[in-house]
Amino acid sequence: MASLLSLNVGLSREVDWRGRTVRTGIWKHPVDGPRLVRRLNIDGDGQGDLAGHGGEHRAVLVYQAQAYRYWRAQLGWGELEFGSFGENLTVDGLADDEVCVGDRYRIGEAEFEVTQPRVTCFRLGIRLDEPQMAALLVAHHRPGFYMRVLTEGRVQAGDEIVKIADGPQRLTVADVDALLYLPDHPAAKLRRALRIPALSAGWRSSFRDLLEAAENPDRGSGSATDTQPGWAGFRPLQVREVVKESVSVVSIILDDPDGAVLPTARPGQYLTARVPEAGRPAPVRSYSLSSAPGASRYRISVKREAHGLVSGYLHDSLKPGSTIEAAAPRGNFVLQDGTAPVVLISAGIGVTPVLSMLHALAKAGGPREVWWLHSARNPAEHAFAAETLDLLAGLDGARRFFFYSEATPDEAAATGAARGRLTAEMLTGLALPTGAAAYLCGPPAFMADIRNALNSLGVSDVHTELFGPQDAVNPGVVAKPPVAPHVPAGPPGPGPPVTFSRSGLTAPFDGAGFANLLEFAEACDVPTRWACRTGVCHTCTTPLLSGTVCYEPAPLEMPAEGSVLICCARPTSDLVLDM
């Protein structure tokens, strides 16, 4: 009979870690006597990061005394106090390779249901002073598991644990953990996991993505990192035309110098260009493709930016016959198949990726409802206005709305535009279809406002594109005021140059000062995205535009070709990362 050996609780605290402040509830300690287990946690307990821990499906964390003995033998540790793995319930029995997701148990007065394995997290490494602990838990099939509370009640150390129901599909905690984090994701097993009602929403979403990738291997799941790029690294493309689209935008028409057919880009993807003539080191910039998908040539459209070295060169010096170096089209801001209405919303140069989507919709024809909303300063700065109207004219029932923030009354009347910026208030009066898929591109503040407005109107399927660095994902780290990306402090490193293309920064890697690319990016104040920092969760997966890396240590599962796990990778040649 399984039993509860220790009941452990602990409130959130802030700890110093590598010069940062981390908020965490990983420090748990045994308590005497009964405690009331509530729907969201145990009296006296708390979580520091509710995005990854806590909530109804992660109310209680369970770990086994047998696992304590295992790790002591494996890692040469001494005795550890129960609760050291951050668990609420230290149990005798309930092994991860025996307990199934969906199993139900009674402990004391409370009843529980197993919902998912433990989330891999760097904070356990802080607690145990073993940075690789998240990877070790998965590799050794001893993650522990979460439960939700079905019936609230008091529990205490010494209570027996009684199994009251078997979960469907009979997939153990270790099976489910390996299915997500280790190589090999068989479709049949993914389908079984998705048939477990108790499985938490986050894990279900991950398994749906993996199943889509397994069933559509040529397409991947639609993410920027698992769709194979059309070529590796950078290749020369020849400039065939430079076309002025407005007072501030030019289009550059590109094809292969030898006439080879270029790989087809998906509507909404971007091209990353390296322009040696614009500076040293050669600056790298990304531009959305504004051409029709499947066209024999690529078209990028560039807005002149004040003091912009690259945009200034492309506007003033680039001529037909010139070449630029380009990485293959990439990006997950792409038009999805389906029959739902499509709402395309843009501001300024944000028109480029949604224009490519409009080309695709016009080519496909059919009854799909299309809404087009674009905001510009005035007609002179409204790029592609005529092209847009021609495409919309070929779509039955398409609706279009132009908004000019600085137009005169006569200019607005002549173009049928509304005066003023496209705002949330204006959006409210348009009666958008709530079942639509919306695609949104423009300045960050514009996208944030419009996305919130769309959600408030019941449009929940919203896709956005961001030109600059992505928002950081640093779970539990207390936010600091943002700092512009910069070269690391101290003398330059002796290693190969690393270019962060979205951040517009190149710096030589310092292999002595930094263990991996993640630490190097952090020293440069380039926004980073990570969770486990040990090559397990793949949160840090980043498109690799050019160059090679080695892994130290090797991740549990290698990323897709054309991408890199920066938390455990080091450059072995000049590197360009899409971050």
Side-chain angles (χ1 to χ4, degrees):
M1 176 73 71
S3 63
L4 176 60
L5 298 179
S6 181
L7 175 63
N8 316 301
V9 301
L11 296 176
S12 174
R13 65 166 73 173
E14 292 186 350
V15 298
D16 292 330
W17 174 74
R18 297 185 177 181
R20 307 188 198 187
T21 300
V22 175
R23 184 175 295 112
T24 177
I26 194 71
W27 269 265
K28 310 292 185 190
H29 301 284
V31 293
D32 295 326
R35 289 288 177 103
L36 181 60
V37 178
R38 303 182 188 272
R39 186 175 64 87
L40 295 180
N41 54 27
I42 301 171
D43 280 359
D45 193 46
Q47 296 86 22
D49 171 26
L50 294 179
H53 306 277
E56 181 178 354
H57 283 81
R58 298 183 295 248
V60 175
L61 180 61
V62 179
Y63 210 53
Q64 303 87 5
Q66 289 80 0
Y68 273 76
R69 293 194 289 272
Y70 177 84
W71 293 120
R72 285 199 297 269
Q74 287 286 319
L75 302 177
W77 288 345
E79 290 293 325
L80 292 175
E81 178 185 59
F82 287 149
S84 293
F85 283 79
E87 79 276 13
N88 300 111
L89 307 181
T90 313
V91 299
D92 178 24
L94 301 189
D96 291 337
D97 59 359
E98 296 176 356
V99 171
C100 296
V101 176
D103 284 353
R104 295 185 175 189
Y105 296 93
R106 181 184 300 113
I107 307 174
E109 300 173 347
E111 294 184 358
F112 304 87
E113 182 177 57
V114 179
T115 57
Q116 66 172 71
R118 174 202 294 267
V119 177
T120 58
C121 177
F122 77 106
R123 282 158 289 197
L124 182 59
I126 298 175
R127 174 68 177 85
L128 295 172
D129 195 26
E130 173 47 73
Q132 290 298 311
M133 202 65 222
L136 291 171
L137 291 181
V138 175
H140 291 249
H141 306 287
R142 295 177 181 272
F145 56 88
Y146 283 105
M147 299 193 298
R148 72 184 181 107
V149 179
L150 301 175
T151 303
E152 296 182 344
R154 287 179 292 273
V155 303
Q156 62 181 325
D159 284 340
E160 289 186 342
I161 301 175
V162 180
K163 188 175 187 180
I164 56 177
D166 286 332
Q169 302 304 316
R170 307 308 299 150
L171 283 177
T172 69
V173 168
D175 286 338
V176 172
D177 196 59
L179 186 59
L180 180 61
Y181 291 127
L182 296 179
D184 188 20
H185 312 281
K189 207 166 189 178
L190 289 167
R191 293 190 194 97
R192 286 178 61 196
L194 287 168
R195 288 195 290 267
I196 304 174
L199 187 66
S200 63
W203 285 67
R204 294 177 67 84
S205 176
S206 296
F207 286 149
R208 279 194 293 268
D209 289 344
L210 288 171
L211 181 59
E212 182 178 351
E215 293 177 336
N216 301 280
D218 294 333
R219 181 171 178 179
S221 67
S223 76
T225 56
D226 61 18
T227 300
Q228 295 298 315
W231 64 83
F234 287 80
R235 65 185 278 185
L237 295 180
Q238 190 160 38
V239 178
R240 295 302 182 187
E241 297 180 65
V242 180
V243 180
K244 195 171 185 64
E245 305 288 1
S246 73
V247 296
S248 58
V249 175
V250 298
S251 286
I252 301 167
I253 314 301
L254 303 163
D255 66 8
D256 184 83
D258 300 321
V261 176
L262 295 174
T264 299
R266 297 176 66 186
Q269 289 191 309
Y270 60 87
L271 201 69
T272 300
R274 183 163 58 193
V275 190
E277 295 81 359
R280 291 290 184 271
V284 178
R285 300 290 187 271
S286 295
Y287 300 104
S288 294
L289 289 159
S290 56
S291 48
S296 59
R297 298 174 171 183
Y298 292 154
R299 180 177 71 177
I300 59 174
S301 303
V302 181
K303 178 185 177 183
R304 181 191 290 275
E305 301 291 348
H307 312 297
L309 293 177
V310 179
S311 67
Y313 170 80
L314 296 177
H315 272 252
D316 299 334
S317 303
L318 194 70
K319 305 297 182 186
S322 304
T323 59
I324 65 172
E325 298 175 346
R330 285 174 167 81
N332 62 345
F333 181 69
V334 294
L335 181 68
Q336 302 295 318
D337 296 334
T339 58
V342 178
V343 180
L344 304 175
I345 307 177
S346 56
I349 194 60
V351 68
T352 51
V354 293
L355 178 61
S356 178
M357 296 179 186
L358 183 61
H359 271 285
L361 291 165
K363 182 178 180 180
R368 197 169 185 185
E369 184 180 347
V370 177
W371 293 61
W372 177 270
L373 291 76
H374 179 68
S375 182
R377 284 196 179 94
N378 52 52
E381 296 198 32
H382 185 172
F384 308 108
E387 183 175 331
T388 298
L389 290 173
D390 286 344
L391 292 169
L392 292 169
L395 290 167
D396 292 338
R399 304 186 187 189
R400 66 94 173 167
F401 301 88
F402 295 158
F403 302 84
Y404 292 154
S405 60
E406 298 178 5
T408 66
D410 288 344
E411 287 174 331
T415 56
R419 294 182 68 200
R421 300 178 187 276
L422 173 56
T423 63
E425 290 74 21
M426 288 184 173
L427 206 61
T428 301
L430 298 182
L432 297 174
T434 57
Y439 298 85
L440 174 61
C441 187
F446 168 82
M447 290 197 294
D449 289 345
I450 298 301
R451 178 168 196 152
N452 290 337
L454 289 169
N455 290 337
S456 68
L457 293 172
V459 180
S460 58
D461 185 12
V462 181
H463 308 259
T464 59
E465 177 68 305
L466 186 66
F467 290 127
Q470 294 181 308
D471 292 336
V473 175
N474 305 160
V477 175
V478 177
K480 300 187 299 183
V483 176
H486 56 85
V487 297
V498 177
T499 296
F500 302 101
S501 63
R502 287 179 178 260
S503 300
L505 176 69
T506 299
F509 184 75
D510 183 357
F514 304 100
N516 49 58
L517 287 164
L518 173 56
E519 291 184 5
F520 186 62
E522 291 172 332
C524 296
D525 281 307
V526 170
T528 55
R529 305 166 70 87
W530 49 266
C532 73
R533 301 181 72 96
T534 58
V536 179
C537 70
H538 285 223
T539 301
C540 72
T541 303
T542 300
L544 175 63
L545 302 185
S546 71
T548 56
V549 301
C550 63
Y551 285 101
E552 300 175 10
L556 297 184
E557 180 177 18
M558 297 298 289
E561 184 179 351
S563 59
V564 59
L565 298 180
I566 63 171
C567 74
C568 50
R570 295 165 63 91
T572 54
S573 69
D574 293 8
L575 211 62
V576 181
L577 299 171
D578 187 26
M579 63 183 295

